[in-house]
Amino acid sequence: MKRGLVLVALVVVGALLTAAGAAQQTPSAASIQVDKIRDNLYVFRGGGGNTAAFITDRGVTLVDTKLPGWGRPILEKLKEITDKPVTTIINTHTHFDHVSGNIEFPAAVEVVTHENTAKLMREMRPVTGGLEQANVFKEKNGLGLPKRTFKDRMTLGSGDERIELYYFGHAHTGGDAWVVFPALRVLHTGDVFAGKAVPLIDANNDGSGVEYPQTIAKAVAALTNIDTVITGHSQTTMTMADLKTYGDFTREFVQTAQAAKKAGRTIDDVVNSWKPPERFQKDGYLTPEEIQQLSRQPIAAQAARLRANVDVVWNETK
Ligand SMILES: [Zn+2]
């Protein structure tokens, strides 16, 4: 396997499995890695989910704002690139490693999300699998919560500075926004596609295993003219072909769990025997053993994620 792929997969798996652990990294602008995607579009990596910064004449639109404490470092880093103020924040979904920096921006910044994410952000329910989410908004009397929402589709801005927001159904959560920069041919998927690893299906925040692959298929069919895909957590950008493969990967995962239930097998059976099918391994998807070797992430922790996912699919399968 290519070293680059291994590193990408590693970081994704690390981010997904130890979101709480990532909070221990001290927030600072120096820890943010900036990748220039286009002349007016950057990705800020580190401190939680991948943040996109889209610079327009009017100001800067951010997609996601990372873990608690990372809002100010994002602003600091942004000053190295532009003098324009942040006018808009789009949150792809309700998870704390994508929304918590919101409270460090002025109240005048417009926060936009899918309508269900707006509801979920007021609650900040625990993530399926048990991880608690700090409700930073409550402590600030609602500062940083979305005031503008969409149901299926929304356009922000105009011309080359247009942003298109889409909702294609339940997947990682029940309010996953797909963010397209049409003039740049770039898509930000949030955590529906966090990277090449088993997805987190957060049923407690209205995610769905059964709908997950269908939602990706709808996005792949609808979003043409995309060259570059920014994922929720991976260290490099991906392509629509990678997204399509990820849809196939999640479909096979869900079908494996459903078939096991129908055959009378147990959740333990699935958890103990599952690994990425061969063709996905060739594409950079790691086995539990490889993850253990490379990241020292105990197999038990991976099994816990797997178990939570299989459990979700189990409950959705009659
Ligand atoms: Zn997430």
Side-chain angles (χ1 to χ4, degrees), residues 47-68:
N50 286 330
T51 297
F54 182 48
I55 299 156
T56 72
D57 284 343
R58 234 185 100 237
V60 179
T61 294
L62 295 177
V63 182
D64 288 347
T65 58
K66 307 189 182 294
L67 289 160

Side-chain angles (χ1 to χ4, degrees), residues 149-171:
T149 63
F150 73 101
K151 190 180 170 66
D152 299 310
R153 176 104 190 245
M154 178 185 264
T155 302
L156 301 173
S158 59
D160 283 354
E161 301 192 334
R162 217 166 79 243
I163 298 172
E164 299 285 356
L165 304 179
Y166 296 83
Y167 178 72
F168 293 117
H170 299 244

Side-chain angles (χ1 to χ4, degrees), residues 248-303:
D248 296 341
F249 175 77
T250 56
R251 177 172 290 107
E252 288 196 26
F253 174 75
V254 169
Q255 285 172 346
T256 300
Q258 288 184 309
K261 183 176 184 182
K262 284 173 185 157
R265 293 172 64 205
T266 64
I267 291 179
D268 276 340
D269 271 352
V270 181
V271 173
N272 294 331
S273 63
W274 187 88
K275 61 179 178 180
E278 192 73 25
R279 72 180 172 111
F280 297 108
Q281 287 187 40
K282 282 185 189 138
D283 199 40
Y285 291 77
L286 302 180
T287 64
E289 289 74 20
E290 285 171 325
I291 295 169
Q292 184 190 35
Q293 281 165 17
L294 291 162
S295 70
R296 297 194 210 99
Q297 179 73 53
I299 288 198
Q302 302 171 52

Side-chain angles (χ1 to χ4, degrees), residues 64-241:
D64 288 347
T65 58
K66 307 189 182 294
L67 289 160
W70 286 84
R72 238 163 251 125
I74 290 171
L75 273 170
E76 241 181 86
K77 204 74 190 174
L78 198 58
K79 283 207 184 94
E80 296 174 15
I81 299 168
T82 179
D83 294 332
K84 299 253 159 73
V86 173
T87 55
T88 310
I89 291 171
I90 298 163
N91 293 123
T92 56
H93 65 291
T94 192
H95 285 152
F96 72 116
D97 54 335
H98 297 258
V99 303
S100 297
N102 285 18
I103 62 166
E104 295 162 53
F105 292 83
V109 172
E110 183 167 61
V111 180
V112 185
T113 68
H114 183 260
E115 59 182 19
N116 198 27
T117 290
K119 276 183 217 141
L120 293 166
M121 282 172 71
R122 284 197 286 274
E123 299 173 27
M124 294 303 283
R125 302 174 191 166
V127 178
T128 290
L131 185 64
E132 293 288 335
Q133 301 205 90
N135 190 334
V136 294
F137 309 109
K138 208 170 221 170
E139 296 155 14
K140 293 274 184 182
N141 296 315
L143 177 68
L145 284 173
K147 294 208 179 71
R148 193 170 173 195
T149 63
F150 73 101
K151 190 180 170 66
D152 299 310
R153 176 104 190 245
M154 178 185 264
T155 302
L156 301 173
S158 59
D160 283 354
E161 301 192 334
R162 217 166 79 243
I163 298 172
E164 299 285 356
L165 304 179
Y166 296 83
Y167 178 72
F168 293 117
H170 299 244
H172 178 63
T173 70
D176 303 314
W178 300 72
V179 185
V180 176
F181 306 94
L184 309 182
R185 301 172 67 96
V186 176
L187 161 69
H188 193 316
T189 61
D191 279 355
V192 178
F193 185 21
K196 292 180 178 181
V198 174
L200 193 166
I201 308 166
D202 187 1
N204 205 37
N205 282 288
D206 302 338
S208 165
V210 172
E211 284 185 43
Y212 210 117
Q214 299 164 15
T215 298
I216 293 179
K218 279 185 206 161
V220 168
L223 305 178
T224 50
N225 304 319
I226 303 287
D227 298 323
T228 306
V229 176
I230 300 166
T231 68
H233 286 273
S234 66
Q235 290 294 293
T236 58
T237 56
M238 303 229 184
T239 64
M240 287 304 275

